[in-house]
Amino acid sequence: MKTLYLDCGMGAAGDMLTAALTELLPDPDAFIRRLNALAIPDVSIVREKTVKCGITGTYIAVTVRGVEEDEDHPHNHDHAHGGEAHHHHDHHHTGMEDITRMVSQLNVPARVRENILAVYGRIAEAESLAHDRPVSQIHFHEVGDRDAIADITAVCLLMDELSPEEVVVSPVCVGSGYVTCAHGVLPVPAPATAHLLRGVPTYAGNIRSELCTPTGAALLTHFATRFGDMPVMRTQAIGYGMGKKDFERLNCVRAFLGETEGDTDIVSELSCNVDDMTAEDIAFAMERLFAGGAREVFTVPVGMKKSRSGVLLCVLCDTEKREEMLRLLFLHTTTLGVRENTARRYVLARDTETLHTPYGEVRRKASRGYGVTRVKYEHDDLARIAREESCSLEEVRNRLCAVISA
């Protein structure tokens, strides 16, 4: 599986993501020429090689009317606010209608245009929550100006060109301290960034600066398949997207492009011991847990205190389903406490095809990865044929193999 992993240990901004992703291309300069050929009004994009902490990477300079973003506040162009405009390029209001009109004039594929507008939609929604105003009343300033349009357009084009099947993003370092914006001095992460990163694993780190910007947060949350550690992968290309500021740590976004075998994901494992439930009651609890969205529910016989026989009930679920699983466990079992572990699953890539046979449609499931290939027929379809033909499951399998191989 073609996988993109983004290391955001120093946060993320639109220009840093652009820089990192261009390094994954066979001809980054050709991409920059293509980006400039879009002729975003007053915008010029330059790709520069730079060295930080002894490491060579790419820096993307976006200039508007020949002026680059504010030297003292390198991420100010990544902010949007719902009040009066105070921008270093000009003073105007830009709403979603203006953004939509500008984006509609870009000569990019329709899917890229949709992604650009979806990213802006995320930012507008975050600003709406931060300022308690309808989205229609949100006016972009720094984020809505042409330098940010260039950043967002560039990342959306790059993601379209790279076309990863999975995008894994590390926990995001947001930084600490305060940031100066149109409304004054705000804590890091800025309110819009905080809203955008709800549900995402984040941490402050020990650097007092804004490391993750609203645009960076919107791009990450739009394209991420999941957030977590780097998966087991065969890396084919690595990109370093440098930020403008210098810190004691390398200020960059790292992008890894490669192949993973099968899928990996993070699940919550919830478990409890019970020794005072009937088999029927446990079966009903398992049914309710599956209905509630559990990935897997199983039991293990255990010996408990006072030599009593008991049952270990285990539930695997997506992390966002954890609260619902806990509610169901306490509702349908007699346990007084539930333990939780976080586990990484390594799973084979799976697909199902429907075969047309003399016995009707039969589903065949294939699993691949880690040098393994497995194929099996759907049990329910085999059982149906066995009943209709009054034969064993093994005979049905043999018949199907003969028919399909013929």
Side-chain angles (χ1 to χ4, degrees):
M1 178 185 296
K2 189 176 185 181
T3 299
L4 174 66
Y5 176 72
L6 297 173
D7 177 3
C8 298
M10 285 294 287
D15 52 356
M16 295 168 71
L17 288 167
T18 299
L21 295 176
T22 58
E23 289 207 335
L24 303 179
L25 300 176
D27 190 349
D29 292 327
F31 175 80
I32 297 299
R33 289 194 294 271
R34 176 187 174 193
L35 195 59
N36 280 314
L38 295 177
I40 300 172
D42 306 319
V43 167
S44 176
I45 301 103
V46 177
R47 176 178 176 270
E48 304 171 356
K49 279 294 182 181
T50 186
V51 177
K52 289 181 181 290
C53 297
I55 303 299
T56 300
T58 293
Y59 173 71
I60 294 292
V62 179
T63 60
V64 179
R65 300 170 193 159
V67 179
E68 196 178 352
E69 53 190 318
D70 190 338
E71 183 74 24
D72 294 326
H73 301 288
H75 291 163
N76 264 1
H77 71 293
D78 267 350
H79 294 285
H81 300 284
E84 293 184 359
H86 295 284
H87 194 271
H88 56 278
H89 293 312
D90 46 29
H91 299 273
H92 66 276
H93 294 275
T94 306
M96 276 301 296
E97 288 187 9
D98 303 298
I99 297 296
T100 302
R101 184 166 51 254
M102 283 187 277
V103 173
S104 68
Q105 296 170 358
L106 296 176
N107 183 23
V108 296
R111 60 186 176 275
V112 174
R113 195 175 295 116
E114 291 169 5
N115 281 329
I116 296 170
L117 292 175
V119 172
Y120 268 109
R122 285 176 178 269
I123 298 170
E125 183 180 354
E127 289 295 334
S128 173
L129 291 170
H131 298 288
D132 194 24
R133 298 187 182 188
V135 170
S136 60
Q137 294 182 16
I138 294 300
H139 294 114
F140 299 97
H141 304 295
E142 291 92 351
V143 79
D145 214 36
R146 291 170 176 81
D147 47 7
I149 290 177
D151 286 339
I152 294 172
T153 300
V155 173
C156 291
L157 273 172
L158 285 159
M159 293 298 292
D160 186 68
E161 188 157 330
L162 294 169
S163 297
E165 297 171 79
E166 181 183 45
V167 179
V168 184
V169 179
S170 74
V172 180
C173 184
V174 296
S176 62
Y178 295 87
V179 61
T180 302
C181 64
H183 289 282
V185 179
L186 298 177
V188 172
T193 305
H195 282 296
L196 284 161
L197 293 176
R198 286 179 303 172
V200 172
T202 60
Y203 60 101
N206 58 2
I207 293 178
R208 296 186 65 79
S209 183
E210 181 191 40
L211 299 182
C212 187
T213 65
T215 296
L219 287 164
L220 292 177
T221 54
H222 177 70
F223 284 109
T225 306
R226 61 184 175 87
F227 290 82
D229 295 332
M230 185 177 184
V232 177
M233 62 188 292
R234 293 188 179 90
T235 301
Q236 297 163 347
I238 304 174
Y240 285 78
M242 303 300 197
K244 175 177 284 187
K245 283 187 174 182
D246 291 319
F247 300 109
E248 59 270 25
R249 292 174 56 189
L250 178 61
N251 184 21
C252 75
V253 168
R254 288 197 301 172
F256 297 78
L257 187 65
E259 291 289 332
T260 56
E261 291 188 302
D263 296 330
T264 63
D265 57 17
I266 302 297
V267 293
S268 290
E269 180 180 342
L270 307 174
S271 61
C272 60
N273 292 24
V274 293
D275 61 3
D276 56 352
M277 292 180 65
T278 66
E280 290 88 350
D281 288 351
I282 291 174
F284 181 76
M286 294 175 69
E287 173 198 311
R288 292 291 81 206
L289 288 161
F290 274 121
R295 291 273 193 102
E296 181 63 276
V297 184
F298 61 93
T299 60
V300 179
V302 294
M304 297 177 60
K305 62 184 178 182
K306 298 183 180 179
S307 301
R308 289 197 296 257
S309 296
V311 170
L312 171 64
L313 178 60
C314 294
V315 181
L316 299 182
C317 66
D318 295 328
T319 53
E320 59 266 26
K321 291 278 188 180
R322 178 179 53 213
E323 293 301 320
E324 175 63 10
M325 294 299 104
L326 287 170
R327 187 186 71 81
L328 292 172
L329 280 169
F330 285 118
L331 177 64
H332 294 296
T333 75
T334 57
T335 189
L336 300 178
V338 177
R339 299 177 297 279
E340 178 187 14
N341 289 303
T342 299
R344 177 182 295 281
R345 298 197 317 157
Y346 296 86
V347 298
L348 300 180
R350 290 163 283 186
D351 60 74
T352 301
E353 63 176 328
T354 300
L355 305 175
H356 300 280
T357 76
Y359 308 103
E361 292 186 346
V362 177
R363 288 164 290 176
R364 183 169 65 183
K365 298 183 288 187
S367 305
R368 301 180 182 86
Y370 301 98
V372 173
T373 299
R374 296 193 183 114
V375 177
K376 66 179 294 185
Y377 299 105
E378 177 62 50
H379 172 78
D380 290 347
D381 296 339
L382 296 180
R384 172 185 58 78
I385 297 171
R387 295 187 190 99
E388 293 173 352
E389 299 292 319
S390 299
C391 62
S392 68
L393 290 172
E394 185 62 26
E395 185 175 347
V396 173
R397 292 189 189 96
N398 293 335
R399 290 187 189 182
L400 288 174
C401 288
V403 168
I404 292 168
S405 61

